[in-house]
Amino acid sequence: MEFHFNTDSSVMGTENVAERVESQVRDRLSRFAERLTRIEAHISDTNGRKGGGDDVRCLIEARPRGGDPLSATAHAGDVDSAARAAADKLVTVLDRQFGKADRHPRPDQSIPAGGV
């Protein structure tokens, strides 16, 4: 599973921050690793240098094999908290998506002869 880290110009996108976010996101999404091809984390500061509470936005996009991208967004006061919250939301989205796919196989996923 590939991981891409993106920031806007108002967020310090140092390697240390990228490594921390990647580690947090990979840890939270580890049980889906075989089903995902790529994860992208987009960090931005909604009001730039002005500061303020919950102004860091993290959008995480997951790309399932053979499926449409899924995403989750969270806001927090710092990068780590925003990434953690967005990853937690994405776990819920992926649970819902993969659970539904497991319960209702697509027509091209034929059932073996003799049943299940």
Side-chain angles (χ1 to χ4, degrees):
M1 165 173 72
E2 289 181 45
F3 188 89
H4 295 269
F5 179 77
N6 305 290
T7 64
D8 69 6
S9 60
S10 61
V11 176
M12 296 270 295
T14 65
E15 191 171 316
N16 184 25
V17 171
E19 287 173 1
R20 284 195 328 260
V21 169
E22 180 176 356
S23 176
Q24 287 177 22
V25 172
R26 280 187 183 274
D27 182 53
R28 294 252 191 307
L29 302 179
S30 63
R31 65 186 159 126
F32 305 108
E34 294 300 315
R35 297 177 117 173
L36 302 175
T37 59
R38 186 161 120 181
I39 300 286
E40 290 191 30
H42 301 271
I43 309 290
S44 59
D45 190 331
T46 56
N47 56 353
R49 296 181 185 178
K50 296 178 190 173
D54 291 359
D55 62 338
V56 177
R57 176 180 177 260
C58 178
L59 174 125
I60 303 175
E61 182 179 283
R63 299 188 181 206
R65 290 185 198 287
D68 293 329
L70 301 166
S71 65
T73 303
H75 291 82
D78 61 84
V79 172
D80 292 315
S81 297
R84 206 170 19 258
D88 288 343
K89 288 181 180 183
L90 189 55
V91 165
T92 302
V93 170
L94 291 169
D95 272 338
R96 212 174 287 140
Q97 180 68 26
F98 291 142
K100 184 184 290 186
D102 291 345
R103 287 189 305 275
H104 304 285
R106 294 187 331 215
D108 61 338
Q109 295 175 336
S110 60
I111 298 174
V116 194

